[in-house]
């Protein structure tokens, strides 16, 4: 019967397959037959043949073609889901490292026997899955081989299998109604998964759906499930593997705990559990993990920015601190702008003179060449301009005198963004320190403490005072 | 304030010279344009100039800078008072959502940001706000000395 089903379905694949072809079908058969030898390459080829990516491999003889083929199908399904160590398909490997074998509901009981003889465990696994999925189906003969662990796997596999067609919504009629929830779960999985990992997902089911519709339900479900699993795993590597791997691990652990009969498996379980369950929590857990990491990273950075937040732990208090800090900064801006408004009358003239000079000089000083001009004689630079300043009337002199430190500082600041600041200011090269240094120089000049600036500084100081007085009136 | 870049920051180091450049120009413009204006009006203009120079120096790589520049350019007369100032609001009951909402209001352009992006924008905004405050403080110190 299975033979009929299988062989009946096999030719149907050809016409129904959008992308599959007869060659692919032969590859499929070969892939099925390869299960017996269970070489990894064969497995990959089998999977790839399933997924419409050609990689035929020599087939090996199989005792009972019909049962064995179906058994292999299911076994492959289980292998895909559980991804044993020796099987280690590309998906599993990419998903989370295939070393210890990605654990899943399936893999736990399978892992031990799998190491010994691949086909044997797969057969019962397949039978369990199959038997669970299709109690009325022919492979009830397989049901006897179920072990408790396999049964648990079977339930999960049933959900997978049942969910497959439900999700595809094409062969739903043939699918047993025993698993509506997993189907919905799978649908949900398809939904949120789509937000992150959907891109590789939709294209691959497309060709399979066409094929599966025409094939028997058994093959449909299995292939669909396999397809989905492979797609799920493919979608995982398609995305950022690094961060996702961790997320997968955590999600896998979560899923491992969530599934009743599943012992908590190592992280490799993630992919398969996710694919199997198809619940929103899977993609949620993954997305949540990524999101949480990003948020914690940003909170750490904010902690460094906001002073006094090092001891604060917890997002709520941190948020409060951040809000307080931002509010205090904005208040400071308001206050300082008021202060600048009050003292600006003294400076507007200077600013006026400052502006054109700054513009000319800024345009000129923005490129590095200007820097060497002002590198060394930083303190003397303003004084070098003194002769020019002297030519102007008092106010312009004063302005120049006052401008020079500012403009020189501007030149310095503009042409030499950071490294020169270190030379002038503290090693922190903060603007505050830079300004302080500059202000000190200006003040020194203003008070004539610098010998070079003695004359000019006094003049500038007096000039400034004169200007101040004039403007204050 | 450190010069380390926030995650995904287009500019790891704050361009303080640009800040100085923009702010001084704006300050000069304000002083030149309306020396006879009322104190409050001038202070408001200077405040706008501060935010504008902040946004200009930060560049269009940030959402808050783009929003600020748009606000300031669109209609300076009407929008002058709306420049991201909810300063005097007292802290209310700080639930999680309210905190996030408050942060959204504080950071320009934060209303349509996700929580993660909001944190990133807040970090950048805080860095530039800090630099701006430092610059203004040093200016005040300089001009008052």
């Amino acid at each position: 019967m299975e033979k009929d089903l299988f062989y009946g379905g096999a030719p149907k694949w050809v016409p129904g397959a959008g992308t599959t072809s007869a060659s692919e079908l032969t590859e499929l058969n070969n892939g099925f037959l390869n299960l017996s030898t269970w070489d990894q390459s064969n497995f990959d080829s089998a999977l790839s043949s399933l997924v419409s990516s050609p990689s035929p491999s020599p087939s090996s003889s199989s005792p009972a073609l019909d049962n064995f083929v179906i058994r292999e199908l299911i076994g492959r399904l289980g292998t895909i889901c559980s991804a044993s160590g020796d099987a280690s398909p590309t998906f599993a490997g990419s998903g989370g490292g295939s070393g210890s074998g990605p654990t899943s509901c399936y893999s736990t009981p399978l892992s031990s026997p799998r190491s010994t003889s691949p086909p044997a465990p797969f057969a019962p696994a397949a039978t369990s899955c199959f038997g669970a999925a299709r109690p009325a189906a022919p492979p009830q003969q397989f049901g006897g081989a179920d072990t408790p662990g396999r049964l648990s796997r079977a339930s999960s596999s049933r959900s997978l299998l049942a969910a497959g067609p439900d999700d595809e919504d094409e062969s739903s009629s043939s699918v047993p109604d025993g698993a509506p929830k997993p189907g919905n779960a799978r649908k949900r999985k398809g939904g949120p998964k789509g937000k992150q990992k959907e891109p590789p997902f939709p294209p691959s089911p497309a060709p399979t759906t066409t094929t599966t519709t025409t094939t028997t339900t058994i093959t449909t479900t299995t292939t669909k499930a396999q397809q989905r699993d492979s797609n799920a795993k493919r979608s995982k590597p398609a995305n950022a593997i690094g961060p996702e791997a961790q997320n997968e691990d955590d999600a896998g652990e979560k899923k491992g705990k969530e599934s009743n009969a599943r012992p908590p498996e190592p992280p490799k379980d993630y992919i398969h559990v996710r694919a199997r369950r198809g619940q929103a929590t899977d993609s949620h857990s993954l997305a949540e993990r990524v999101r949480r990491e990003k948020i914690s990273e940003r909170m750490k950075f904010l902690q460094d920015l906001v002073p006094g937040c090092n001891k604060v732990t917890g997002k709520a208090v941190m948020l409060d601190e951040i809000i307080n800090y931002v509010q205090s900064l904005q208040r400071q801006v308001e206050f300082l702008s008021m202060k600048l408004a009050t003292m600006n009358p003294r400076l507007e003239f200077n600013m006026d003179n400052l502006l054109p000079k700054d513009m000319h000089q800024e345009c000129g000083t923005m490129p590095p060449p200007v820097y060497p001009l002002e590198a060394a004689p930083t303190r003397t630079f303003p004084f070098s301009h003194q002769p020019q300043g002297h030519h102007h009337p008092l106010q312009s002199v004063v302005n120049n005198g006052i401008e020079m430190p500012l403009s020189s500082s501007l030149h310095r600041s503009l042409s030499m963004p950071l490294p020169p600041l270190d030379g002038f200011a503290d090693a922190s090269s903060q603007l505050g320190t830079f300004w302080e240094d500059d202000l000190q120089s200006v003040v020194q000049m203003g008070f004539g403490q610098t010998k070079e600036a003695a004359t000019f500084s006094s003049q500038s100081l007096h000039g400034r005072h004169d200007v101040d007085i004039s403007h204050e009136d | 304030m450190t010069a380390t870049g926030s995650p995904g920051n287009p500019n790891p180091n704050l361009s303080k010279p640009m800040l100085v450049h923009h702010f001084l120009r704006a300050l000069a413009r304000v002083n030149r344009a309306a020396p006879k204006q009322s104190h409050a009006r001038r202070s408001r203009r200077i405040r706008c100039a501060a935010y504008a120079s902040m946004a200009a120096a930060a560049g269009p790589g940030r959402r808050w800078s783009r929003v600020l520049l748009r606000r300031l350019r669109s209609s300076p007369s009407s929008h002058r008072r709306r420049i991201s100032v909810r300063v005097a609001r007292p802290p209310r009951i700080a639930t999680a959502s309210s905190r996030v909402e408050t942060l959204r209001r504080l950071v320009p352009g934060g209303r349509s940001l996700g929580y993660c992006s909001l944190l990133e924008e807040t970090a950048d905004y805080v860095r530039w706000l800090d630099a701006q405050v430092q610059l203004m403080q040093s200016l005040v110190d300089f001009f008052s000395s």
Side-chain angles (χ1 to χ4, degrees):
Chain A
M1 207 155 52
E2 299 89 358
K3 177 195 271 185
D4 294 340
L5 280 171
F6 179 75
Y7 285 122
K12 284 184 198 171
W13 279 56
V14 181
T19 56
T20 57
S21 58
S23 59
E24 236 177 41
L25 189 57
T26 54
E27 292 163 6
L28 191 69
N29 293 336
N30 293 338
F32 288 157
L33 295 178
N34 288 335
L35 274 176
S36 60
T37 57
W38 209 256
D39 195 49
Q40 178 164 358
S41 60
N42 291 340
F43 178 71
D44 288 334
S45 66
L47 271 181
S48 58
S49 66
L50 256 187
V51 198
S52 76
S53 58
S55 63
S57 20
S59 61
S60 59
S61 62
S62 58
L65 195 57
D66 47 29
N67 294 348
F68 189 70
V69 165
I70 294 176
R71 210 178 288 181
E72 286 174 348
L73 248 179
I74 298 166
R76 187 187 320 171
L77 169 65
T79 316
I80 297 170
C81 302
S82 48
S84 67
D86 53 357
S88 73
T90 54
F91 319 107
S94 56
S98 57
S100 62
T103 59
S104 71
C105 45
Y106 306 108
S107 67
T108 326
L110 278 180
S111 52
S112 45
R114 187 164 300 171
S115 56
T116 58
S117 62
F122 288 136
T127 61
S128 64
C129 300
F130 218 66
R134 318 276 306 169
Q140 266 179 353
Q141 49 188 318
F142 303 140
D146 286 354
T147 62
R150 308 239 168 93
L151 273 172
S152 59
R153 237 183 325 112
S155 59
S156 57
S157 62
R158 176 202 316 146
S159 69
L160 172 63
L161 293 172
D166 288 348
D167 207 3
E168 296 300 331
D169 219 9
E170 286 167 348
S171 59
S172 54
S173 59
S174 57
V175 173
D177 302 333
K181 256 190 179 180
N184 300 341
R186 179 164 291 278
K187 274 185 183 158
R188 279 202 297 276
K189 170 197 77 105
K193 250 187 77 164
K195 76 184 174 195
Q196 274 194 10
K197 319 151 195 64
E198 205 50 63
F201 195 84
S204 26
T208 57
T209 53
T210 56
T211 61
T212 50
T213 46
T214 56
T215 56
T216 60
T217 59
I218 296 173
T219 52
T220 301
T221 57
T222 52
T223 50
K224 270 190 188 168
Q226 288 168 333
Q227 181 79 38
R228 200 161 296 98
D229 290 334
S230 58
N231 293 338
K233 293 173 207 115
R234 278 214 185 123
S235 62
K236 290 246 57 88
N239 305 317
I241 293 177
E244 276 199 2
Q246 307 173 11
N247 308 333
E248 293 167 5
D249 299 349
D250 300 332
E253 287 166 357
K254 265 188 6 181
K255 291 314 295 180
K257 286 163 192 140
E258 287 170 0
S259 58
N260 299 331
R262 314 289 166 261
E265 295 294 344
K268 310 325 188 303
D269 186 19
Y270 173 67
I271 296 177
H272 312 289
V273 174
R274 211 165 48 92
R276 173 186 68 79
R277 280 296 185 118
Q279 286 181 2
T281 49
D282 288 6
S283 51
H284 265 284
S285 52
L286 168 72
E288 275 294 317
R289 183 97 8 205
V290 173
R291 190 170 163 271
R292 242 175 284 141
E293 283 170 5
K294 283 200 327 190
I295 287 176
S296 65
E297 181 187 359
R298 272 151 205 185
M299 290 293 283
K300 263 186 275 183
F301 186 74
L302 274 168
Q303 241 182 354
D304 296 336
L305 275 184
V306 179
C309 268
N310 299 330
K311 309 145 207 155
V312 172
T313 52
K315 285 202 284 188
V317 192
M318 262 305 298
L319 268 182
D320 277 340
E321 285 296 316
I322 292 165
I323 288 171
N324 287 338
Y325 191 59
V326 171
Q327 282 173 342
S328 80
L329 282 179
Q330 288 177 342
R331 272 194 294 265
Q332 272 183 290
V333 169
E334 277 252 18
F335 174 69
L336 289 172
S337 69
M338 269 172 31
K339 277 190 89 173
L340 279 177
T342 58
M343 55 179 50
N344 266 339
R346 295 184 223 161
L347 306 166
E348 48 183 85
F349 205 80
N350 303 334
M351 285 304 181
D352 278 346
N353 283 2
L354 181 69
L355 181 65
K357 279 214 165 122
D358 286 347
M359 287 175 68
H360 298 323
Q361 284 152 348
E362 284 156 12
C363 301
T365 55
M366 287 316 290
V370 185
Y371 165 66
L373 294 178
E374 320 174 29
T378 52
R379 302 278 172 133
T380 61
F381 179 75
F383 313 123
S384 64
H385 280 240
Q386 291 173 24
Q388 301 176 10
H390 282 295
H391 296 317
H392 299 290
L394 183 63
Q395 287 182 348
S396 54
V397 167
V398 168
N399 300 331
N400 290 342
I402 295 178
E403 284 173 43
M404 277 310 121
L406 279 179
S407 57
S408 64
S409 66
L410 269 174
H411 302 326
R412 268 175 285 174
S413 60
L414 291 167
S415 56
M416 327 184 286
L418 285 179
L421 290 184
D422 292 338
F424 297 117
D426 305 335
S428 60
S429 75
Q430 297 301 320
L431 181 63
T433 55
F434 169 68
W435 270 104
E436 287 165 13
D437 193 65
D438 205 32
L439 293 181
Q440 284 175 12
S441 67
V442 170
V443 167
Q444 287 175 3
M445 294 191 313
F447 289 116
Q449 294 177 8
T450 314
K451 286 183 184 175
E452 307 147 346
T455 55
F456 183 75
S457 61
S458 57
Q459 287 183 14
S460 64
L461 181 65
H462 297 317
R464 177 162 58 171
H465 287 170
D466 292 342
V467 171
D468 292 345
I469 293 169
S470 66
H471 280 284
E472 279 170 9
D473 296 342
Chain B
M1 185 160 58
T2 62
T4 58
S6 62
N9 191 7
N11 180 20
N13 292 326
L14 286 193
S15 173
K16 286 184 181 170
M18 288 304 299
L19 194 64
V20 173
H21 165 54
H22 285 289
F23 186 60
L24 285 181
R25 276 178 60 179
L27 210 52
R29 211 179 307 135
V30 169
N31 294 328
R32 188 188 343 131
K36 299 169 282 288
Q37 280 177 353
S38 71
H39 176 73
R41 189 169 176 81
R42 213 168 46 240
S43 70
R44 198 176 306 123
R45 287 189 69 177
I46 291 178
R47 197 195 74 218
C48 296
Y51 284 109
S53 67
M54 227 170 71
R62 285 285 167 187
R63 184 188 212 105
W64 64 266
S65 65
R66 287 195 295 268
V67 169
L68 271 183
L69 287 176
R70 208 181 307 136
R71 277 190 213 165
L72 292 163
R73 280 182 197 159
S74 62
S75 66
S77 53
S78 66
H79 284 225
R80 202 170 294 145
R81 301 157 199 247
R82 284 180 44 189
I83 306 289
S84 71
V85 176
R86 300 206 181 228
V87 180
R89 188 169 296 235
R92 297 179 303 273
I93 304 165
T95 69
S97 58
S98 74
R99 285 195 195 98
V100 177
E101 280 308 307
T102 313
L103 196 58
R104 280 186 204 277
R105 272 193 300 267
L106 284 178
V107 178
R111 251 165 280 174
S112 52
L113 280 179
Y115 183 64
C116 199
S117 315
L118 180 68
L119 286 184
E120 187 178 341
E121 290 286 314
T122 306
D124 201 58
Y125 187 59
V126 161
R127 285 173 69 211
W128 282 99
L129 254 187
D130 223 355
Q132 180 70 41
V133 164
Q134 281 180 20
L135 165 64
M136 292 175 77
Q137 185 67 54
S138 55
L139 271 177
V140 166
D141 292 341
F142 171 68
F143 288 129
S144 63
S145 65

